[in-house]
Amino acid sequence: MFELTALELSTAISSKQIGVEEALSAYFKSIETEDGKYNSFLSLSKEAALTKAREIQKRIDAGERISPLAGVPIAIKDNISTKDIETTCASKALSGYVPVYNATVVDKLEEAGMIVVGKLNMDEFAMGGSSETGYMGPVRNPWDSYRVAGGSSGGSAAAIAAGMVPLALGTDTGGSIRQPCSFCGTTGIKPTYGAVSRYGLIAYASSLDQIGPMGKNLEDCATLLSIISGPDEKDGTCIIEKPFEFEQSDSNSLDGMIIGIPKNYYEGGIDNSVKTSVLAAARKLEEAGARLEEFEMPLMEYMIPTYYVIACAEASSNLSRFDGLKYGHYTSDSDELSDFYRNSRSEGFGMEIKRRIMLGSFVLSSGYYDAYYKKALQARRLIKDAYDSLFQRYDMIISPVAPTTAYKIGENIDDPLKMYMGDIYTVSINLAGLPAVSLPCGFDENKLPIGFQLIGKAFSEPTLVKAGKTYQLINN
Amino acid sequence: MSKPVEIDDKLLSYLEDLSLLRLSDEEKPRIVKDLGEIINYINKLSELDTENIPQCSHPFDNVNAFRSDEAQESYERELILKNAANENGEMFIAPKTVDTQ
């Protein structure tokens, strides 16, 4: 059963080949036996899931067609609020916090009859690219448990890769869905900013964060995206008019499509195996009818600086809400209010969080604001304009997701700048608010997965999904 | 901006205040080193000509979304207070801020 895609499982459920509870119990058993090795789950909600499974089974038995993924188990990254289920962002600062409401996406999963099995490990507050910084320890890569799963949605990718769950939700602020997919050989979609409600997502950088689907293939992910996307009156930035609809297409032809290859992405600090595999994927798309054209990606050396200035500035503001008073960790070492705040925060946050909050405070501080924050906002405009003009010519861009495959646990943890460099191919997509799909395209010499991404203009998810599905069909 | 920024004790203490954090003696040298390296790296931005380029604080220049000003049901007070460090069934209780003596 663990070989089945989410859509195959839902077909097996609706045709009565397998019961919802039976499938769910098998997945729980898999989590209980396997996850000791990978540390991808932070909590399980077994009882609520079993109750829900029985309810969904009754409705299916009564002939109700709830959704294309009814009865399918799903796990959720721990920065997405789940009513009555502890939500910690893998941080001591939020240990014990139980939300009183669901994120909008979680309500949508429940309406679609999906079964939430538990919450997934991640980098603390989604700040990282290796899922090593959470207070419950690192996530381990199912392809090699001495290596990282990528991050920050590392628990999501590892749980899918290890067959512990067919689908998961992740979040992507600078690559946090795409890069763990690349490291673990799974598929994911970073939706256009404003396509999926962020209500109930614990914010890292509000102008960059998006929730998106992660799974075994693009068809599953697209189906999940059609469920979670759509307008939400609780999120004014969610500007999409209606949920995505992805048409079933019998044609695998990409005739007439022009795909840009940023040739400077394939020079310098990229692993040879990654370069070879991604360019081979491009040629597969060419065989399916697309035309490939090389171009020089402008502003490449400014992408990471721009991202870290903006993301940390927003993080320093967003994380000011954690004062220990209303929820989460609080100090026992203080009887005065301002010490209570300081000590609660200093005890609760890990090193990377402190680093980013302080960098954010620095770039926003008087005397440095213009030189850093304002400058980065102007650079962001240039990056966004550059993409706008590229997408007048290209239907999509093909790019690596990360310059390397999964590295060893602990290898980069003491060198934040080196860790940030791994985000070179992903962060600009968030700065410009664009969608991208991340797909596996082979293995390196250590048998570690490699991924590539297809990037499109805003709300072009249907085009990206068509091309990505075509790739996955002809490659199987 | 292109000149290196030195994180001296004064700047570090100022950033701790702004961030409402208190670093331990072990954390301080690490943060000073890391912030110094990161700031040195992001100084790259100073090379970019941004004369007359408008700022972009959001991917889409959407306008504010308004809804009608109507009271809506909120969450149960009792449930919200369950997460608090200290509460009295009605309110959060914070350490005393004013000396009444």
Side-chain angles (χ1 to χ4, degrees), chain B residues 23-34:
Chain B
L23 299 178
S24 68
D25 290 343
E26 295 82 58
E27 288 173 326
K28 277 182 187 172
R30 255 185 88 181
I31 289 277
V32 168
K33 176 177 171 283
D34 293 344

Side-chain angles (χ1 to χ4, degrees), chain A residues 18 54 59 73 84 97 107 150 153 218 247 299 336 350 400 410 439 466 470:
Chain A
I18 187 166
R54 289 176 198 131
R59 289 169 61 189
D84 301 331
Y97 167 59
D107 279 340
S153 310
L218 202 47
E247 284 168 24
L299 300 162
E336 190 268 320
L439 312 170
K466 180 180 159 57
T470 299

Side-chain angles (χ1 to χ4, degrees), chain A residues 227-405:
Chain A
I227 288 171
I228 60 171
S229 59
D232 179 12
E233 60 180 22
K234 291 172 180 158
D235 176 2
T237 64
C238 191
I239 56 173
I240 193 170
E241 283 167 9
K242 58 184 179 61
F244 286 116
E245 288 171 28
F246 296 98
E247 284 168 24
Q248 291 291 338
S249 162
D250 296 330
S251 154
N252 289 332
S253 168
L254 301 180
D255 278 346
M257 220 173 246
I258 307 179
I259 302 181
I261 300 184
K263 59 181 185 209
N264 46 332
Y265 276 17
Y266 300 87
E267 297 158 2
I270 179 170
D271 281 2
N272 211 25
S273 53
V274 174
K275 175 182 168 177
T276 309
S277 291
V278 176
L279 290 175
R283 277 191 298 277
K284 290 264 184 188
L285 295 168
E286 188 178 35
E287 283 166 25
R291 194 161 90 230
L292 304 179
E293 272 186 30
E294 288 190 343
F295 68 96
E296 182 88 9
M297 186 74 200
L299 300 162
M300 189 176 167
E301 68 265 45
Y302 302 107
M303 290 170 176
I304 294 175
T306 304
Y307 171 79
Y308 277 95
V309 170
I310 292 171
C312 292
E314 294 187 18
S316 73
S317 170
N318 273 321
L319 271 65
S320 64
R321 63 171 61 88
F322 301 106
D323 59 14
L325 206 56
K326 301 182 289 297
Y327 40 73
H329 173 82
Y330 57 92
T331 187
S332 51
D333 176 24
S334 162
D335 46 16
E336 190 268 320
L337 187 64
S338 115
D339 271 350
F340 178 90
Y341 289 156
R342 272 190 190 244
N343 292 349
S344 296
R345 288 166 62 78
S346 302
E347 290 167 14
F349 293 142
M351 198 61 177
E352 182 62 19
I353 308 304
K354 291 175 185 173
R355 225 169 356 233
R356 293 201 195 193
I357 290 176
M358 291 182 74
L359 183 63
S361 298
F362 171 77
V363 300
L364 290 172
S365 65
S366 148
Y368 296 109
Y369 181 96
D370 282 358
Y372 292 96
Y373 186 62
K374 184 181 164 197
K375 189 84 178 176
L377 293 183
Q378 291 172 310
R380 183 179 192 176
R381 172 74 60 191
L382 292 172
I383 291 167
K384 185 172 152 45
D385 288 351
Y387 273 115
D388 284 349
S389 94
L390 287 168
F391 287 122
Q392 288 183 3
R393 166 104 197 120
Y394 306 114
D395 295 289
M396 61 189 72
I397 292 168
I398 184 166
S399 140
V401 175
T404 67
T405 52

Side-chain angles (χ1 to χ4, degrees), chain A residues 102-120:
Chain A
N102 272 336
T104 296
V105 289
V106 176
D107 279 340
K108 288 187 178 210
L109 299 181
E110 295 199 342
E111 281 161 28
M114 298 188 73
I115 318 286
V116 175
V117 299
K119 304 298 291 287
L120 294 159

Side-chain angles (χ1 to χ4, degrees), chain A residues 179-241:
Chain A
Q179 185 256 30
C181 279
S182 178
F183 279 14
C184 292
T186 60
T187 297
I189 305 176
K190 184 268 165 198
T192 305
Y193 186 86
V196 177
S197 168
R198 290 180 299 111
Y199 180 75
L201 165 63
I202 297 171
Y204 156 23
S206 308
S207 79
L208 305 165
D209 297 339
Q210 269 293 282
I211 298 170
M214 297 166 72
K216 291 180 171 177
N217 67 24
L218 202 47
E219 196 171 15
D220 281 358
C221 290
T223 308
L224 181 54
L225 183 57
S226 67
I227 288 171
I228 60 171
S229 59
D232 179 12
E233 60 180 22
K234 291 172 180 158
D235 176 2
T237 64
C238 191
I239 56 173
I240 193 170
E241 283 167 9

Side-chain angles (χ1 to χ4, degrees), chain B residues 25-90:
Chain B
D25 290 343
E26 295 82 58
E27 288 173 326
K28 277 182 187 172
R30 255 185 88 181
I31 289 277
V32 168
K33 176 177 171 283
D34 293 344
L35 284 187
E37 285 174 11
I38 295 165
I39 292 166
N40 185 39
Y41 171 67
I42 61 179
N43 275 338
K44 180 89 190 158
L45 283 173
S46 68
E47 296 168 10
L48 190 62
D49 180 7
T50 52
E51 185 86 31
N52 299 322
I53 303 295
Q55 298 168 49
C56 173
S57 56
H58 200 273
F60 307 112
D61 299 312
N62 49 349
V63 291
N64 267 332
F66 294 106
R67 62 168 173 78
S68 52
D69 183 21
E70 285 164 3
Q72 290 176 2
E73 214 168 304
S74 188
Y75 304 105
E76 279 180 57
R77 179 187 305 230
E78 192 189 327
L79 287 178
I80 289 171
L81 288 173
K82 265 191 184 170
N83 278 305
N86 197 1
E87 44 92 14
N88 68 358
E90 290 274 309

